[in-house]
Amino acid sequence: MASYLLRRLLIAIPSLLGISVILFTVLAMAPGDPFSEMATNPNVPPEVREALRASFGLNDPIMVRYLRWLTAMMQGDWGFSFASRINVDKLILQRVPTTLFVVGSSQILALLIALPVGIYAATRPYSVFDQIANTLAFVGFSLPTFFTGLLFILVFSVALDWFPFVYRSDIAATGWRWYWEMFRQAIMPIMVLGLFQAASYTRYVRSAVLDVIRLDYVTTARAKGLSERNVTLRHITRNALIPVVTLVALQMPAVFGGAIVTEQIFRIPGIGSLLIDAILANDTPVIMAVTFVFACLVVIFNLIADILYGWLDPRISFS
Amino acid sequence: MKDHDLRRLIEGVKTGTLSRRSFIKKAAAVGLAAPFANQLLGFNGVAMAQNATIEYKPSKAGGGGPLKILLWQAPTLLNPHFASGTKDQIASRIFFEPLAGWDKEGNLIPQLAAETPTKANGGLSADGKEVTWKLKPGVKWHDGKPFTADDVIFTWEYAKDPATAAYTTGSYKDITVQKIDDLTIKVIFKESTPFWADPFVGVAGQILPKHHFADYVGAKSRDAPANLKPVGTGPYKFVDFKPGDILTGERFTDYHVKNQPHFDTLEVKGGGDAVSAARAVLQTGEFDYAWNLQVEDEVLKRMETGGRGKISAVVSGDVEFIILNTTDPWTEVDGERSSIKTKHPTLTDPKVREAINLLIDRDSIQKFIYGRGGIATASFVNAPAQFKSQKLKYEFSVDKANKILDDAGYKRGADGIREKDGKKLKYVYQTSINAPRQKTQAIIKQACQRAGIDLELKSVTASVFFSSDVANPDTYTKLYVDIEMYTTTQPQPDPERFLQQFLSWEIANKENKWLGRNVSRYSDPAADEAYKAAQKELDPVKRAALLIKVNEIFCEANVILPLLSRTRVAASVHNLVHDHSGWDVDTWNLAAWYRS
């Protein structure tokens, strides 16, 4: 197991390096520069723009810039943001908790919906419940989050005035009031993300359970006279969840990516909105760092999925 | 209005037979806006207004609860001299103040200065080379230290240092500043400078505390802790800042204006887009104020019917305009397209340019696209009104355009496109990606079609279009197409620097890495001369005439086709009394905002 882990981690290094080379080159060759706002302002002398380009190293060849970035990165120096001139790691750390909270809660919500609905629907295939669940899942899966987000805002914020639609990272309240405010502002984005995710998980859980339900050992369990409830929970669900767990783990990086849109709509100060702002401002060090974090997430969650799989299904061995 | 009429009126104000207010009204009646009128009075020895346009009612400081501002483009840094965009300038101005700011009428309002310099109070020298500023006594920094002339001198040293790479350096690099005493400084210009209210004034003029920045001048400027934790003299003290997200402040109890500010805490939230920012103020009232709402007016009007807030639009000097390329963008000379060594095959013909100008339906563009966001115009400089040409008029007439082209010998080909000597009137027309701009493009294209001119529309993403990336062919300064359109900002009430775009030595080319301001590449010695004369002319009336001439030369040649004079649009909840200015940032007078 230990040697397997080590091997996987060693393989991850060259792939991350490759990713970073591609990212850097694409970004360096992409048009635009961080000083566009100065361009139409006659009060900013052109020399200042030139001096800044030079001091930020934008005039050097791509190779030189990449090597400089890589050596700095190895030493834990992520560089500084061109837009705010503060260190990138500080910027990212400021944003990560919010993203984790929103994405994490929405995942929990998604599983809380998808598991019971999926299992119940699969044990009664083609029943009215199954058909309704299927239809809803299909609808939820097809509606993009930017649409549902806007719809939620128009219904719950503008028309009903129940929830605020601007998410704030610091709430000027303490104790229960803080939790209440936090809940109020987080509920819409979490619902939007959670429902979308729940829809796709439900379909998956249902089909995974359907696969297992027809297997011989389930029939055997029933023949032994076990209660239907017992059969479903002990024998069917446990085995059906193996691929589901893998799917959830593999979906995590994609969920972070999907949250970018939601973060923008609700003004959630997460790393997704940081990435969008950085792209709009051509803030290369920040774009580089955030996309690199996403790349690392993909690699890490892949690894977690593999390990979980082996742990859940003893037939797979790591040796 | 003639020279001598104006002078007679000014005399009237001086001798007291005419009130200041009625002078401004009279001036306005003949097309001179209040800013001009005020500056005129100032130059002629009548003291300037010393109060801002807002009437402040609260009888004590504090007690106003929280003030919540939503900037959909989030501030990312808080050092005013690094602030490249308005968003950062707005955020910095909460904490830092200049000696004086500009109100929406273009009046110079003292902030850290005790009074506005005039000839009468000895602030302005007769030769136009020296300005003496008296500082307000008793002003404290947020950490309790006194504000003195040393801070002003330091700010000059800081901003002029090329290694600091301050965005404001243009205002400081050519001046000398002397300390007279602890509360008096003297600004010395190399030459007579009619527009003296630039250093230490408005956006570029915010004063930094010497004791927090002295160790961080030049190359070390990025390391200053105060870049992110500002200590200023402003109405609100810094509490917390998350770049790109949220900025919070609290009332500065020792603020130097009596009974101000009104609000106890301040919050500036960023992110999102303009439409939803307008919604958060106008429809849900979650925020008190949102700025820079470049949203179609129809959408704003619909939101206003919700009844929670209102829109206010103020005149600014920004102008949306079209440039016709008189050089050839399709031929490369010495590695450069649109080189001044070339001539455009058809756009060098004044008749063609005239026809194109007649094909722009400015009234429809204003009515159907911009609404309160812009006013149709034929003049490049529109505000303050003394610099607006009264001569330039626009007209929309497809018939006239057709006639001009017929007379000039452009015949329609089989495809309906006109041509002469084998040269077709086919152009590429580019602008940045932005809904109102694409709609404007479509309107103009349609009209041109009716006159036998074919426009191919091109839109470039804004971050590329407005970048200084030398390697990219799509930047607006390269102008590698026939026609282009964008907005340019006039940051000060005085258009001198703004008119750089009409000078022959400012032509953007390969040599200056396309950093020159003259993008049209058209030049006229008469414009150069008038400009140079205006730079030295101390008489404001004559000076305005010279600058108007520069403007008219380009507009009458139909090289620059102004479309709209842009306004700055903000949304606020009904009970918020605020005032924002087209000549300064929205927060320039934040201390005087209150809730009625």
Side-chain angles (χ1 to χ4, degrees):
Chain A
M1 176 77 187
S3 75
Y4 172 80
L5 256 183
L6 193 71
R7 211 166 63 229
R8 283 294 304 258
L9 284 173
L10 285 178
I11 294 172
I13 290 173
S15 30
L16 282 177
L17 264 180
I19 292 170
S20 74
V21 171
I22 295 170
L23 275 178
F24 203 93
T25 329
V26 168
L27 278 180
M29 294 200 311
D33 77 296
F35 313 114
S36 53
E37 274 197 84
M38 282 186 262
T40 50
N41 185 345
N43 272 6
V44 182
E47 308 93 83
V48 173
R49 267 198 279 169
E50 240 340 86
L52 279 168
R53 286 188 70 87
S55 72
F56 288 176
L58 288 174
N59 292 333
D60 300 334
I62 296 177
M63 206 50 216
V64 176
R65 281 157 63 189
Y66 176 72
L67 287 177
R68 201 187 307 134
W69 176 83
L70 190 68
T71 29
M73 196 77 173
M74 299 271 212
Q75 294 155 354
D77 175 9
W78 295 46
F80 66 91
S81 151
F82 293 161
S84 63
R85 305 199 186 187
I86 71 168
N87 291 337
V88 173
D89 45 353
K90 218 174 133 190
L91 265 181
I92 291 183
L93 281 180
Q94 223 165 46
R95 303 296 188 103
V96 165
T98 313
T99 298
L100 280 182
F101 167 66
V102 174
V103 171
S105 312
S106 67
Q107 284 299 294
I108 292 170
L109 176 73
L111 288 175
L112 284 179
I113 297 172
L115 287 178
V117 173
I119 293 168
Y120 193 81
T123 48
R124 285 156 191 78
Y126 310 110
S127 64
V128 176
F129 179 85
D130 183 33
Q131 277 173 7
I132 292 175
N134 250 327
T135 315
L136 285 182
F138 192 75
V139 171
F141 187 68
S142 324
L143 289 177
T145 49
F146 65 80
F147 176 79
T148 38
L150 208 59
L151 195 72
F152 270 50
I153 288 177
L154 288 175
V155 173
F156 295 110
S157 286
V158 176
L160 296 171
D161 206 2
W162 287 356
F163 308 119
F165 72 89
V166 176
Y167 188 100
R168 303 170 39 185
S169 53
D170 61 340
I171 293 171
T174 46
W176 285 110
R177 193 153 173 78
W178 188 88
Y179 286 105
W180 170 239
E181 286 294 324
M182 200 66 187
F183 170 76
R184 252 166 52 94
Q185 69 171 5
I187 192 152
M188 283 203 298
I190 290 176
M191 291 292 266
V192 166
L193 275 178
L195 290 179
F196 179 74
Q197 212 55 46
S200 70
Y201 287 166
T202 304
R203 287 157 60 89
Y204 203 81
V205 169
R206 179 180 174 273
S207 72
V209 171
L210 271 181
D211 280 348
V212 175
I213 218 163
R214 300 194 191 95
L215 295 180
D216 289 345
Y217 78 92
V218 177
T219 322
T220 315
R222 285 222 178 87
K224 278 200 301 190
L226 288 176
S227 70
E228 191 57 34
R229 184 189 156 81
N230 225 332
V231 173
T232 312
L233 289 182
R234 286 260 179 89
H235 294 84
I236 299 175
T237 311
R238 236 193 109 158
N239 285 300
L241 281 191
I242 296 174
V244 173
V245 168
T246 328
L247 177 86
V248 172
L250 287 178
Q251 278 264 304
M252 280 312 278
V255 170
F256 273 96
I260 290 177
V261 176
T262 317
E263 283 184 4
Q264 195 65 9
I265 294 172
F266 293 99
R267 293 183 162 79
I268 300 169
I271 46 177
S273 60
L274 179 68
L275 179 64
I276 291 206
D277 288 346
I279 290 173
L280 289 177
N282 282 302
D283 199 345
T284 323
V286 179
I287 307 175
M288 199 57 209
V290 176
T291 41
F292 199 66
V293 165
F294 280 143
C296 291
L297 280 179
V298 173
V299 171
I300 290 169
F301 276 104
N302 256 309
L303 188 60
I304 292 176
D306 282 355
I307 293 168
L308 275 179
Y309 211 86
W311 178 64
L312 284 167
D313 190 346
R315 286 170 301 179
I316 296 170
S317 83
F318 293 117
S319 49
Chain B
M1 192 179 284
K2 295 269 163 31
D3 252 35
H4 61 267
D5 291 336
L6 263 179
R7 287 186 208 288
R8 211 188 56 232
L9 286 178
I10 292 166
E11 264 325 292
V13 183
K14 263 182 167 170
T15 51
T17 53
L18 186 68
S19 79
R20 192 186 176 86
R21 185 149 295 200
S22 40
F23 171 78
I24 292 171
K25 269 192 190 149
K26 279 197 166 133
V30 292
L32 298 176
F36 175 43
N38 269 301
Q39 281 274 356
L40 269 184
L41 292 178
F43 277 111
N44 286 282
V46 182
M48 279 220 182
Q50 300 282 329
N51 295 306
T53 36
I54 201 166
E55 196 189 336
Y56 188 74
K57 292 230 174 91
S59 55
K60 69 176 178 67
L67 172 67
K68 293 172 26 175
I69 297 177
L70 188 58
L71 304 184
W72 58 273
Q73 281 166 318
T76 50
L77 56 82
L78 298 174
N79 182 332
H81 296 277
F82 288 162
S84 62
T86 323
K87 58 185 177 27
D88 297 326
Q89 291 163 347
I90 285 188
S92 312
R93 192 64 169 272
I94 294 166
F95 308 106
F96 297 106
E97 294 176 303
L99 295 184
W102 298 103
D103 73 5
K104 63 176 156 231
E105 290 171 359
N107 295 313
L108 193 59
I109 306 295
Q111 295 196 303
L112 286 177
E115 58 184 11
T116 318
T118 58
K119 269 185 193 159
N121 66 19
L124 301 179
S125 70
D127 63 358
K129 287 187 181 172
E130 289 177 7
V131 180
T132 310
W133 288 92
K134 287 207 164 54
L135 310 185
K136 197 170 178 179
V139 176
K140 280 188 186 140
W141 293 101
H142 293 159
D143 58 7
K145 296 237 165 55
F147 158 75
T148 69
D150 291 327
D151 297 308
V152 184
I153 305 275
F154 170 75
T155 302
W156 162 62
E157 285 167 346
Y158 180 87
K160 84 176 164 112
D161 189 336
T164 309
Y167 295 171
T168 51
T169 196
S171 303
Y172 297 96
K173 63 182 167 64
D174 297 327
I175 60 167
T176 317
V177 184
Q178 279 175 7
K179 179 179 171 177
I180 308 292
D181 59 51
D182 268 357
L183 290 175
T184 318
I185 60 127
K186 188 189 269 181
V187 178
I188 301 161
F189 297 95
K190 280 194 187 128
E191 283 167 5
S192 296
T193 303
F195 185 65
W196 49 267
D198 179 29
F200 308 121
V201 172
V203 173
Q206 300 174 55
I207 313 286
L208 298 178
K210 186 182 180 185
H211 59 286
H212 281 279
F213 284 92
D215 296 336
Y216 301 98
V217 182
K220 282 177 294 180
S221 57
R222 189 179 80 83
D223 303 324
N227 284 345
L228 291 166
K229 288 190 170 68
V231 176
T233 55
Y236 296 93
K237 257 166 88 168
F238 175 82
V239 174
D240 190 29
F241 178 46
K242 297 196 177 81
D245 173 24
I246 202 163
L247 168 67
T248 48
E250 60 181 13
R251 184 168 71 87
F252 176 38
T253 46
D254 267 342
Y255 187 59
H256 57 84
V257 181
K258 212 182 144 213
N259 297 339
Q260 287 184 1
H262 173 66
F263 296 98
D264 300 308
T265 58
L266 174 81
E267 176 190 310
V268 179
K269 166 83 184 171
D273 61 298
V275 178
S276 74
R279 180 173 290 138
V281 173
L282 299 173
Q283 282 190 311
T284 67
E286 251 176 82
F287 281 80
D288 297 309
Y289 184 84
W291 73 309
N292 188 20
L293 300 176
Q294 290 183 13
V295 178
E296 278 170 65
D297 208 30
E298 281 304 305
V299 178
L300 291 177
K301 276 186 185 145
R302 228 168 29 232
M303 286 184 185
E304 267 179 301
T305 54
R308 286 212 163 137
K310 59 187 182 292
I311 290 291
S312 45
V314 294
V315 173
S316 79
D318 304 352
V319 63
E320 175 89 9
F321 67 110
I322 288 177
I323 291 177
L324 300 185
N325 194 350
T326 52
T327 60
D328 187 354
W330 313 112
T331 310
E332 201 171 289
V333 178
D334 303 334
E336 183 185 5
R337 284 157 64 183
S338 294
S339 155
I340 42 169
K341 289 173 199 148
T342 61
K343 278 194 163 194
H344 194 284
T346 51
L347 285 175
T348 32
D349 184 344
K351 291 288 167 198
V352 176
R353 298 202 300 258
E354 194 187 342
I356 293 177
N357 198 15
L358 283 165
L359 293 169
I360 302 172
D361 189 357
R362 292 172 174 84
D363 289 327
S364 296
I365 293 171
Q366 180 190 341
K367 192 172 163 204
F368 298 112
I369 302 175
Y370 285 87
R372 286 168 290 183
I375 302 153
T377 183
S379 175
F380 186 68
V381 178
N382 292 283
Q386 76 270 30
F387 295 111
K388 179 172 180 173
S389 161
Q390 300 300 317
K391 206 164 100 190
L392 296 171
K393 297 274 182 291
Y394 63 84
E395 191 188 347
F396 170 62
S397 168
V398 179
D399 296 339
K400 271 192 187 169
N402 268 320
K403 191 173 176 323
I404 289 171
L405 292 173
D406 283 339
D407 293 349
Y410 290 91
K411 304 257 179 310
R412 282 182 201 253
D415 50 0
I417 300 168
R418 287 176 186 274
E419 58 175 283
K420 181 179 164 183
D421 308 331
K423 289 168 190 158
K424 280 183 178 285
L425 300 188
K426 269 181 102 157
Y427 306 113
V428 176
Y429 170 19
Q430 80 174 5
T431 188
S432 72
I433 295 181
N434 164 312
R437 290 210 172 112
Q438 266 74 70
K439 287 187 182 170
T440 308
Q441 273 184 321
I443 288 188
I444 296 174
K445 181 188 164 98
Q446 223 175 12
C448 282
Q449 232 158 15
R450 288 164 60 197
I453 298 175
D454 185 45
L455 297 184
E456 182 190 324
L457 304 184
K458 177 179 171 186
S459 37
V460 183
T461 174
S463 63
V464 172
F465 190 65
F466 293 114
S467 82
S468 57
D469 188 348
V470 178
N472 200 297
D474 289 332
T475 61
Y476 81 104
T477 50
K478 279 202 169 155
L479 187 57
Y480 280 1
V481 295
D482 308 291
I483 302 173
E484 75 175 351
M485 171 173 75
Y486 59 94
T487 281
T488 186
T489 47
Q490 183 189 340
Q492 292 132 334
D494 185 279
E496 181 189 309
R497 214 171 268 165
F498 185 55
L499 287 169
Q500 280 174 345
Q501 10 214 348
F502 294 161
L503 306 173
S504 60
W505 59 91
E506 282 284 338
I507 287 178
N509 56 28
K510 195 176 146 199
E511 218 164 281
N512 60 25
K513 291 187 178 164
W514 294 277
L515 290 168
R517 292 269 167 221
N518 183 344
V519 176
S520 71
R521 280 133 184 151
Y522 182 78
S523 65
D524 186 330
D528 291 350
E529 255 167 58
Y531 186 87
K532 278 187 191 150
Q535 281 183 305
K536 293 192 190 109
E537 181 56 64
L538 288 175
D539 184 318
V541 180
K542 283 187 189 150
R543 177 178 152 79
L546 286 166
L547 291 173
I548 288 172
K549 190 175 165 196
V550 177
N551 171 11
E552 282 172 354
I553 288 170
F554 271 67
C555 295
E556 282 175 345
N558 294 314
V559 172
I560 297 282
L561 314 176
L563 301 177
L564 298 147
S565 155
R566 303 293 304 271
T567 53
R568 299 212 180 142
V569 180
S572 61
V573 291
H574 280 307
N575 60 4
L576 181 72
V577 181
H578 70 91
D579 94 300
H580 74 294
S581 164
W583 307 113
D584 212 325
V585 292
D586 289 29
T587 48
W588 80 277
N589 193 20
L590 185 65
W593 290 22
Y594 66 97
R595 213 184 284 284
S596 60

